[in-house]
Amino acid sequence: KLLIVEDDRLLSNALARSLRDAYAVDQAFDGEEGLFYAAQDVYDLVVLDVMLPERDGFSVLEALRAQGVDTPVLMLRPADKLRGLRSGADDYLAKPFDRDELLARIEAILRRTTGRRDVGIVAFKELALHTRTRQAFIADEPLALKGKQYDILEYLVSHQEQLVTKAQIFD
């Protein structure tokens, strides 16, 4: 699950469209809104622009790290790359950027931080979840799952060797 914090609505919507094939995506359009969403600590990655209204990306990132939120962050257009990295960013990408490079950087960060190789399919007995397309199948028959239903099922199957609390599911 990704959060895009970008005030340019055209760019944000274009990013969201291209990422929705592989990820669940939420959007925020200013620094305060981005901080609010990111502080919920339910995202696998935050794509964070530097130049934002209300609160710039550096202060959003610094506030997140001060709150103990360690969600990986890919910063867009950091004027000061060192400041971004020292503030806790995991990577940066200068604007304008290539869509394929953005996807590759997101996948690389997620591999490093989640420990998951992009396997594409998560399975449990006859249940198969195709993580790239967000489709679920039992014995090759498709299941009609909507957004959160799929998210919860994927979370449970991905943690099948662990005890999962109600609080973890709500998060």
Side-chain angles (χ1 to χ4, degrees):
K1 185 170 184 179
L2 306 181
L3 173 65
I4 299 170
V5 185
E6 168 63 63
D7 62 317
D8 179 338
R9 288 184 183 265
L10 289 175
L11 177 58
S12 181
N13 290 334
L15 289 173
R17 273 192 309 276
S18 37
L19 294 170
R20 282 199 174 106
D21 290 339
Y23 306 101
V25 178
D26 290 336
Q27 294 172 264
F29 300 101
D30 66 58
E32 286 296 328
E33 183 182 28
L35 177 59
F36 174 77
Y37 283 124
Q40 307 306 308
D41 202 14
V42 296
Y43 295 97
D44 296 308
L45 178 101
V46 176
V47 177
L48 178 64
D49 189 24
V50 172
M51 303 299 292
L52 295 167
E54 306 301 325
R55 186 177 201 143
D56 69 64
F58 291 123
S59 67
V60 169
L61 180 56
E62 289 163 358
L64 287 173
R65 297 305 186 236
Q67 293 174 26
V69 176
D70 62 355
T71 301
V73 174
L74 172 63
M75 292 196 84
L76 299 179
R77 190 185 46 186
D80 184 350
K81 295 174 190 173
L82 287 177
R83 181 177 174 200
L85 293 170
R86 287 185 176 139
S87 296
D90 294 87
D91 200 355
Y92 64 87
L93 189 58
K95 287 182 180 179
F97 50 83
D98 180 70
R99 176 190 170 279
D100 291 333
E101 183 180 2
L102 172 70
L103 292 172
R105 287 180 183 267
I106 288 172
E107 289 169 5
I109 292 169
L110 292 175
R111 272 195 313 272
R112 285 193 309 266
T113 58
T114 64
R116 282 179 60 184
R117 297 284 170 197
D118 191 15
V119 294
I121 298 177
V122 179
F124 178 75
K125 298 188 180 187
E126 291 190 21
L127 174 68
L129 302 175
H130 295 241
T131 58
R132 288 193 168 261
T133 60
R134 297 179 50 82
Q135 294 175 313
F137 299 87
I138 292 182
D140 295 326
E141 292 294 320
L143 295 175
L145 299 176
K146 302 292 184 213
K148 294 294 181 200
Q149 294 170 332
Y150 176 87
D151 293 340
I152 291 170
L153 186 58
E154 181 181 354
Y155 185 81
L156 291 171
V157 172
S158 297
H159 295 84
Q160 60 187 289
E161 300 297 324
Q162 303 168 8
L163 179 63
V164 177
T165 68
K166 185 163 70 170
Q168 289 171 312
I169 291 172
F170 281 124
D171 283 345

